[in-house]
Amino acid sequence: MHCLYHLPKTNFHLYPDNPVIKLFWGRVNVFSASSLYSFNKGSKVQRLIHQLKYRGKKEIGEVLGKKKFTGKMTELENLHLTLKFLGEIDEERVKEVQKRLKEIKVEEMDLKLGDVGVFGIRGIPRIVWIKIEGKQIWDLQKRVDVALKGMFKPEERFMSHLTIARVKYAKDKKGFVEAVK
């Protein structure tokens, strides 16, 4: 699965006299302002904001916006659900994997966004994720394991999730983890 959204970036942060700062002139005392993405009615950005705000997961944007960390949000076009981690494999094995996976029939699934959490190493947050809930995703992962039997070991600790941010550094590690949860 791949999300094919290519969100329109503004680059307003590069210009001291940008349209966002002009919106506030004479209204509020603002030192600087900017906008990362272009927001237009009916646009992908509007739909994304609507999902964050009205689909029960608005705290994701709030938390990541308020809690300072050095790292990178996952670009929407790179969001994916990993059903099986294969690691580095040669071209011949890739072709065999593709052949086997093409045999799996995938029907529409009723999936929901679940909890937000963090994977870390020794208390240091590294990955911010959203759990994907639904019985069908577990069934699909098991079918992937069956299809790849003999090539790879079955998954022992599968947890369906979307990685939404990679954290390089968080000043208040414990506070960051608590705020995300």
Side-chain angles (χ1 to χ4, degrees):
M1 290 182 190
H2 293 284
C3 184
L4 301 177
Y5 281 115
H6 296 283
L7 298 176
K9 293 187 178 173
T10 65
N11 290 323
F12 287 166
H13 64 285
L14 301 174
Y15 306 100
D17 197 22
N18 70 63
V20 177
I21 196 97
K22 288 181 181 180
L23 287 173
F24 293 101
W25 279 353
R27 296 172 150 177
V28 226
N29 187 13
V30 175
F31 176 72
S32 72
S34 189
S35 170
L36 180 60
Y37 297 113
S38 294
F39 180 94
N40 296 304
K41 189 172 184 170
S43 70
K44 294 171 187 174
V45 174
Q46 182 190 21
R47 289 192 298 275
L48 175 63
I49 290 171
H50 185 271
Q51 290 294 318
L52 288 171
K53 188 172 181 181
Y54 298 109
R55 298 291 177 177
K57 293 297 171 191
K58 67 181 181 180
E59 65 273 8
I60 296 165
E62 292 171 355
V63 166
L64 294 176
K66 289 178 184 173
K67 286 293 176 183
K68 302 295 183 198
F69 73 96
T70 303
K72 184 177 180 189
M73 297 295 292
T74 304
E75 295 89 359
L76 290 176
E77 64 269 15
N78 290 328
L79 284 175
H80 65 279
L81 177 62
T82 301
L83 296 171
K84 180 128 192 106
F85 181 72
L86 305 179
E88 289 289 322
I89 59 174
D90 62 39
E91 189 64 34
E92 188 176 313
R93 275 189 107 182
V94 169
K95 288 178 183 174
E96 180 63 22
V97 167
Q98 290 172 333
K99 178 182 165 191
R100 291 182 183 201
L101 293 181
K102 282 182 183 177
E103 300 300 316
I104 298 174
K105 303 292 184 235
V106 180
E107 297 178 12
E108 186 174 318
M109 293 185 251
D110 183 24
L111 304 176
K112 295 180 177 131
L113 295 178
D115 293 336
V116 179
V118 175
F119 292 138
I121 302 168
R122 291 184 286 279
I124 301 170
R126 291 292 177 223
I127 301 289
V128 180
W129 49 263
I130 303 174
K131 187 172 184 179
I132 305 298
E133 297 178 341
K135 182 182 181 316
Q136 294 112 332
I137 200 68
W138 289 90
D139 294 342
L140 178 59
Q141 194 288 317
K142 293 295 179 205
R143 287 188 277 154
V144 168
D145 268 347
V146 169
L148 299 178
K149 187 175 183 177
M151 291 184 74
F152 301 94
K153 292 180 183 179
E155 290 296 319
E156 295 175 9
R157 300 183 324 161
F158 175 69
M159 189 191 80
S160 57
H161 68 279
L162 296 175
T163 296
I164 60 171
R166 298 187 184 279
V167 180
K168 288 187 179 179
Y169 174 78
K171 184 176 182 179
D172 177 8
K173 294 163 188 55
K174 188 175 180 180
F176 179 80
V177 170
E178 288 304 312
V180 168
K181 289 181 179 181

